[in-house]
Amino acid sequence: MLPGVEALERAMGYLPGTAPEPVTELIQEVSEELVILDGVKAEYRIFSNIRLWPEDKTVEIEGVIFHVKPIIYSQITDTEEVALFICTAGPLVGEMSRRSMKEGDLLRGYVYDVIGSEVVECAADNMQDELKRAAGTRGMHITNRFSPGYCGWDVAEQHKLFSFFKDNFCDITLTPSALMNPVKSVSGLTGIGRNVRYTSYQCHKCDDNNCIYRNRKTKA
Amino acid sequence: MTELLERISICVEFGKVDLKSPYPPALKDQQGAFELTRIALDSGVSPGVILEEALIPAMSRVGEKFSRNEIFVPQMLMAAKAMNSSMIHLRPFYLSGETRRKGTFIVGTVTGDLHDIGKNLVAMMIEGAGWEVIDLGVDVSTEKFIETADKYPGAVIGLSALLTTTMENMRKTVASLREIRHSMKILVGGAPVTPEFCVKIGADHYSPDPQGAVEFLKSIAQ
Ligand code: B1M
């Protein structure tokens, strides 16, 4: 479940193999310490009672309307079912990160933090793989996963998303300001259908020029 | 003397904390910011000069390189650690009032928001620019900002938010702070915050990164 050194270097902004020595050493040390990371969870629920509203670019799931906005809507127009998901890396990495920072070991704290972010992304990737496999057995495909707070979809719509899950599902709670606790958690939806497809990420369609994914170096 | 200050500056810029730190390889087995600062003080260099001519220029170079994506968060944290090792020797002079800071900066992540890495980086760089930093942490209520601002008249306030929902809380905090002290300088930042939003909520400045925050403080301290 733990991401490799190269993935972590990338997540910090470096090209693989270019992070300074103390950083790669710490990544290795912290990764060894976290080999068994309890609390990583990823769950989804599939809904077939859905409707798509092209005029408003909304998706209705069991009567609840999600305003996913044009960029995401355009990727799920042929969807027949929707999977809603939540994933978490659990509370431990966050706690370790805060403790190290408090003790003045800023770099170690940051390494825990980035590992937490990557672990939850890996958990979500594994969940997508499982969803893809399950959809495949029914002759269906899946779309990318999309999260409230990205591509214009209001982050506050997480409240609607969470209403489909039992309280403390996956041990995640949502604050009134739509912040998931533990912090290293993600939520969202994936489209499922015979005619949907997975596409490479389309950063050019998004207007967030500050996004660190966009700023990451892709070539030397 | 200039050579000693230059060495301190290089140690801070490249994260060479002390004799024991193996990084950067070129400075292995050499004294770091910790020892060199002590030597400078013992040989009569004033704490103010060490700050102005060694630490501030080093942290400024770090901030500039970060803004240009030439270095990333880990190198910034390594530099901050080296700077802190220098500050261990300088802090007593601030506490005794012998050396003065450029001003006070009160910073926190707004209520409802738990993100702290970005805010911590801003706090470190501002401390490295010679300011006293009062870091209130995360999920900071408007009342806490007001109470602290009362304790430090003339302080600049820095608010960080990482979610669009908590940006709304940023707006409320700015409005309340403005009510009690209209002339207070307020700086805002965080991934979803924009210059337009800053203008809309009546804050004084938006910065996308720590260096921009330092530049803003510099501009108002003059
Ligand atoms: C006072 O003056 C100042 C001046 C400058 C100031 C300042 C104050 N404060 C900060 N700065 C500035 O200086 C710092 C250094 O340069 C910077 O600080 P940052 O804190 O921004 O930078 C850090 C050093 C490094 N940056 C980071 O660590 C955040 C990076 C990005 C890519 C990001 C990550 C990694 C993650 N995320 Co997410 N995440 C994003 C981020 C996109 C981005 N553009 O940054 C952001 C913050 N996330 C977002 C979202 C939506 C979400 N995330 C989520 C989850 C995650 C991960 C778990 C995968 C992971 C970790 C999150 C974490 N907080 O630990 C979810 C929420 C999690 C939760 N707990 O509720 C979720 C809600 C998605 C979902 N539905 O699952 C967006 C928020 C905007 C919004 N719409 O509300 C987002 C901006 C991405 C986007 N859409 O572009 C500047 O902003």
Side-chain angles (χ1 to χ4, degrees), chain B residues 106-111 134-152 157 159 173 176-177 180 184:
Chain B
I106 300 169
V107 67
T109 303
V110 297
T111 190
I134 312 289
D135 186 345
L136 300 178
V138 296
D139 193 14
V140 182
S141 65
T142 301
E143 294 69 36
K144 183 78 192 162
F145 277 112
I146 293 177
E147 192 185 299
T148 318
D150 279 343
K151 267 196 222 152
Y152 298 92
I157 310 282
L159 307 176
T173 301
S176 304
L177 285 167
I180 59 148
M184 180 183 283

Side-chain angles (χ1 to χ4, degrees), chain A residues 117 148-149 180 183-184 186-187 208 211, chain B residues 66 115 118 160 162 164 207:
Chain A
S117 303
M180 286 177 278
V183 169
K184 300 299 178 188
V186 292
S187 66
D208 180 7
C211 184
Chain B
F66 182 78
H115 291 90
S160 179
L162 257 283
T164 39
S207 169

